[in-house]
Structure formats: structure tokens, C-alpha cells
Amino acid sequence: TGTILEANQRMCEMFGCTPDEAIHLTLADLRSGESPHTGEDPMQWISQAVASGPQSFEWHTRDKSGRPFWVEVNLKITPMDGRDLLLVTLRDITEQKKTHQALQERERKFRELFQANRDGIVVIQLQPDHGPVRFLELNQAAHEMLGYTREEMLQILPSALELELTPEKQFRRHHQLETVGLAAFDTVLIHKDGHLVDAEFTAQVVQYGGQLAAMNIVRDISDRKQHERELQAISSLSAAMRTAPTRGAMLPIIVDKLGQLLQCESIVIQIIDPLTQEAVYEAARGPWSFIVGTRQPPDTGLNAVLNQALKPYHNNHIQDDPRLVAPDDFQSRISALAGTLLMVEDKIIGYIWIGRSSDINESQVRILAAVADIAANAIHRATLHDQTVQAADDLSSSYNTTLEGWARALELRDHDTEGHTRRVVQMALDLAQAMGISSDQLEDFRRGALLHDIGKIGIPDSILLKPGPLDASEWDLMRRHPEYARELLQPIAYLHTAMDIPLWHHEKWDGTGYPHGLQGEEIPLAARIFALADVWDALTSDRPYRRAWPIEQALEYIVEQSGRHFDPQVVEVFLRLVKK
């Protein structure tokens, strides 16, 4: 019948009944709650215990008050006093069940989070001897990141997925995990289709299925790395452009750097001619190089599209766009085209076009636009610099032509010194260079040499052209021509730095010269150099009143006047120069 014959105190407490109440209960009464065995006859369990031996199972039951709880039930047939009795052992496992269910729930939630995580998560076995390791588990994001299925990934050694993994790198990672328990590093993984994926790993030591393992959070940082490379390339481009002194030097740099950055086979830069408004092909790369120097009429073809839209043009099927105006050879070499304006202060100054035989993506178009913004300002500054330099050269040429005209006028006035200025200027320049005068000072030196006798404009013809010797008053007036030079040149600002020679070239090293009797290094170096060249030319040139001195005699005189008329150091350099 399954009627209870005896029950201990713990059983009574478990079901909330007294011992007297307990001995009137049946096994079916103890099995009053719902359980996996709902609907089964408890007497069948007794039969199974008789036929097969002890039975064990779990019940979800209730006590007298209706409180649900779980019990573990063990049935065993025990012979006693000539009959078979059923020994029923019950153990309350409610708390264990709750703990187990909570654990299962946590595991379920963990697996859901594990799989749903947008970052890749991989669990990798760790070998104590740093030998080959394998994947133990991975989530969907991890295998999709590299284009594999989960089953495929579990068959691949992790080391086979890294591009540049060396034994040294692997050892350092294992060592850090063993000593610190954490490791973080960037690496490059190989996608199933062969392209490379920049990845960031954050690893932590865990126990997984009784094995020592590393749980890795894996993030695809290809976009970030690409952005960093782009910023670095753009920064490199900006730095390179700053080294280019002219627009002509800058444009090839932009073309080459842009080609490297965007991996484009073809690039052209067009600059608008301010006079004709035509777009001039000024620089190109690759197959498009043949069109450099040609011109495109204003507001035609795809340039007109850019002018109207004021935003980049992008087409990966350029053959379908009839607006492209370019030679057939230009079109046949590309299938994808992108272009953008070069603009400065809302003014269009040119265009940049890139072409490829493969598609151009949106990221590359954005980079092109960013480079164009930088390049446009740099090109504009270089153009202004070129114009300024050209204007300065033109002005300087005008100044020099004027000065040479003045010097020529003086020679025509004083027939005795015709050709003297040209010769003495060249000799003085050669000597100045030999003395170490810097190149940026030579132009002032040349101008001063050209104008060395400009003060003679203030000397009357009766004195300047007098065939015989000058008397004392005439010499006094002649010696004033350096002062006249200062009065004449002082109002001309750009000649202020060229006045040393006109004003001081008649001073002498020993202080006996004029107009102020300067001595030694009180005399500016330019004047000391020119003084020697001036005297040398005078001695070695024919004059109406005497023949030119022989070279040897003139050299003897120069040496004799060292320390008197001339700076000894200048004489020493002059003698070496003449010897050469």
C-alpha cells in the first residue's frame, strides 16, 4: 500500500506534521507537489525497487502548509521480521536547487552576453611550456571578424592568424600573463579572404573547463589605425609642402604624397590661369603625365560639375559619364574617378583629380577633400610668394639697370675712366668673395662698387675734365665728392646699405685718406677691398696722360702700400688671387 510505518523527527519537520500524522500518510501523500515525475504512480517506484534494486530521484513537493521544496528521494527494499519493508530516505535539496538554478541562469546570461558582445571574445589555451596553443571557445563576433565559421576557427591555431608573430613576441605575452595576469597588445590578423585586419587584444588569465586559459577581448581597430595613418600621411604632406619654396616644386610633392596615401595610379592637378581662366594641367602622376602643360577651357566637363556643386565628384563607372572632357587615352586607363576643388577664401584656384582601375571608396574621397583644403592654401601662398619674388626680381633688375645707367653716364662724362667701372666692379667682387664676404652681402657690395664715383656728379666739368694738374682749391673740391655721394644717395632707402664704398673708398689704412681720415679697421671692409681694386685698375689701365704700368711694377706698388694705403690682410688675399 505504501503506507508509512515509521518516520523520524527530521521527516516530520520537513513535511510539517507530527509523528502520529506521519504514520497515516502514504508515499503518494509525500509526493503531492509537482515534479518531473508528475502523473506517475508512486507504487511503480516500489515495484522498480523490488525488481531492480535501490532507486533515486528528485521530487518537487509541498509540506502540510503548502510550502514548496525539493527533496532527493532514495528507495531501498529492506527485509525485516520476515517481510519486505521500504526504507525511504529524504534530503531537502531546495537550497542546492536554487544555487544550481541561479548558476544555470548566470551561465545562460553569460553565454547570451558572450555571443551578443560586439567585440570579439576568444578563449585560448595556455601551455606551461609556451608550446602551440588552440582556441577553446569564441563568440560570433570573433569568427565573423575574420570571415570564418566557429567550427573553422576552432580547427585553426591562433598563431596562424597573425601576420608577424615571432617566438619572441609570443614568449613576452605568455610571460606577462604568467607574471601579471594581464596583457594588452596590438597586432595584425589575416582575414579568410587574405586582407589584413588591425586588432587590439586585451588578455586575462582564467580557468576554463579545468584548463589554464587566456580570455581575450579582440577589437577591430582597422578604421582607427587607418585614420592614424591618414593623419600621419597628411601631416607628412603638410611638412613636405612647407619645404617647397615655389609652386613648381610643391605640386609634384602633393601629387606623389597623395598617390602614396590613396594608392592611386593617376593624379592630376589643374591650376586656373588668372588671365584666361583656363584650367592648366600643371602636375600629374602615372599614366596621366602626358597631359601636363595642356589646357582645359573654363567651366567645361567635370570641372563645371565641381564649380556648380561645390563638393567632391565621385564615380566608380566613369565611362558612363559623358561630361568627362579628356583625351581618349586619359579615359581608357581608369574606371573610377574622384575630384575636388582647390579653394581659397571662397575662390576656386584649381582642381585635383584622382583615378584608379579599381573602385574609390568614400573614405578616400574624404581624404582627398582634406588634402585639397591643405594644398589649396599652400599653393596659394606659394603662388603669392612666386609673384612677390618675381616682382622683387623685376624691381631689383630695374634698380640695377638704373645704377648701371648712372655709372655709364659718369664714364661718358669722364673719358679718362671709360670701362673702369665695369673692370673694377668685377675685380672688387672677386676679391670680396675671396675675403669671405657672404653672398647675401655681395649685392650691396656690387651696388656700392657701381656707384663708387657717383659723387663726382657734383664736381664741375672745369675741374673734372681739366687736362692739367689741379690746384689746392680744386683738390679740396674734388675731395668732397664722397660727401656729395652721401647727400645724393641718402634719400634712396634701398641704397643705404650700399654707401660704404662711395663714402669711404678714398680712406687709407694709415689714416691719411679722405674725407674723414679714418684709420685701420675704422674703415668699413667693403671700402678697404674696393680701394685696392680701384687703385689696381687705375695703375694697370691706359690713360691719356700715361701708359698702363706693367703688372710687376703695379704689384710692387701694392705690396709697398700694404699697411699704408691698403689693409695688409686685403693685400695678402689680393696677391693670392692675382697669382691664381
Side-chain angles (χ1 to χ4, degrees), residues 178-414:
E178 290 173 351
T179 56
V180 183
L182 296 170
F185 55 91
D186 292 351
T187 189
V188 179
L189 303 176
I190 306 171
H191 193 276
K192 185 178 180 179
D193 66 11
H195 82 265
L196 302 181
V197 178
D198 289 297
E200 176 187 75
F201 276 72
T202 304
Q204 180 177 358
V205 174
V206 296
Q207 285 289 332
Y208 187 86
Q211 299 185 71
L212 188 65
M215 185 174 73
N216 297 265
I217 307 297
V218 188
R219 294 183 178 88
D220 184 343
I221 57 171
S222 299
D223 289 344
R224 189 185 81 193
K225 286 289 187 180
Q226 178 64 19
H227 184 59
E228 290 173 358
R229 286 190 286 266
E230 290 166 2
L231 289 177
Q232 184 177 6
I234 291 173
S235 176
S236 173
L237 172 62
S238 298
M241 286 192 296
R242 286 195 293 272
T243 65
T246 65
R247 189 173 85 191
M250 181 181 295
L251 295 183
I253 292 175
I254 297 172
V255 165
D256 288 341
K257 290 286 186 180
L258 195 56
Q260 296 168 17
L261 180 60
L262 298 181
Q263 298 178 343
C264 286
E265 301 126 17
S266 302
I267 301 174
V268 291
I269 297 180
Q270 296 174 284
I271 302 298
I272 294 176
D273 184 330
L275 297 178
T276 66
Q277 295 302 304
E278 294 173 311
V280 183
Y281 289 92
E282 291 201 5
R285 170 187 173 95
W288 289 353
S289 299
F290 74 97
I291 62 175
V292 170
T294 62
R295 291 170 172 257
Q296 181 176 333
D299 206 28
T300 59
L302 294 180
N303 286 352
V305 176
L306 289 179
N307 293 343
Q308 294 169 7
L310 298 178
K311 63 180 182 180
Y313 172 92
H314 180 204
N315 188 347
N316 284 326
H317 304 283
I318 189 60
Q319 294 83 357
D320 300 335
D321 195 332
R323 298 172 296 182
L324 177 63
V325 176
D328 292 339
D329 193 38
F330 180 105
Q331 300 182 51
S332 65
R333 293 169 183 260
I334 61 169
S335 60
L337 183 71
T340 191
L341 295 166
L342 294 170
M343 294 188 67
V344 177
E345 298 175 353
D346 297 328
K347 180 182 179 181
I348 301 172
I349 65 168
Y351 311 89
I352 298 182
W353 291 98
I354 62 173
R356 286 174 53 168
S357 55
S358 57
D359 286 357
I360 298 170
N361 60 43
E362 292 294 337
S363 172
Q364 291 169 322
V365 176
R366 289 195 298 271
I367 294 170
L368 174 63
V371 169
D373 285 342
I374 298 171
N377 286 287
I379 292 169
H380 181 61
R381 288 195 300 271
T383 301
L384 293 179
H385 176 265
D386 291 348
Q387 292 171 348
T388 302
V389 169
Q390 184 59 49
D393 288 345
D394 292 345
L395 183 61
S396 178
S397 178
S398 298
Y399 286 161
N400 290 337
T401 301
T402 301
L403 299 185
E404 289 168 3
W406 289 356
R408 179 62 177 157
L410 285 173
E411 287 189 342
L412 292 174
R413 184 182 179 210
D414 184 359

Side-chain angles (χ1 to χ4, degrees), residues 431-447:
L431 185 54
Q433 288 180 298
M435 289 291 297
I437 298 293
S438 63
S439 57
D440 58 340
Q441 294 176 306
L442 284 178
E443 186 59 29
D444 283 335
F445 187 96
R446 192 181 75 85
R447 288 173 179 166

Side-chain angles (χ1 to χ4, degrees), residues 439-468:
S439 57
D440 58 340
Q441 294 176 306
L442 284 178
E443 186 59 29
D444 283 335
F445 187 96
R446 192 181 75 85
R447 288 173 179 166
L450 277 172
L451 300 174
H452 70 279
D453 274 342
I454 191 69
K456 288 183 178 179
I457 289 178
I459 305 300
D461 287 350
S462 59
I463 297 176
L464 187 65
L465 304 178
K466 184 176 180 180

